[in-house]
Amino acid sequence: MNHIASLRKGAGIKQTDLRQVLGWTQARLSNYESGHRTPGLSECRAITAALNRLGAKCTLDDVFPPDVDLQQAA
């Protein structure tokens, strides 16, 4: 689960603006936001950087929260 859409909307950022900063298609960003596709680490970092560039003020863990079950298993 990610918080791309909620952070984007909370910061008043349009999906169009975020995808333009990323240089991606609307479909690609939409698939990541909806959870239909899982971004790799480099995409996660790019999304976080783009959100910050557009004024969201967030960290990688804010956008992509760590899996609690995985942390407890370690």
Side-chain angles (χ1 to χ4, degrees), residues 1 5 7 9-11 16 30 32-33 50 56 60 62 67-68 72:
M1 168 122 193
L7 287 166
K9 291 173 187 175
T16 301
S30 179
Y32 288 151
E33 283 191 355
L60 185 63
D62 294 330
D67 187 338
V68 176
Q72 291 174 354

Side-chain angles (χ1 to χ4, degrees), residues 45-70:
R45 288 179 173 158
I47 291 165
T48 303
L51 285 167
N52 278 291
R53 181 175 170 194
L54 292 168
K57 307 295 181 224
C58 54
T59 67
L60 185 63
D61 284 351
D62 294 330
V63 185
F64 302 95
D67 187 338
V68 176
D69 293 335
L70 290 177

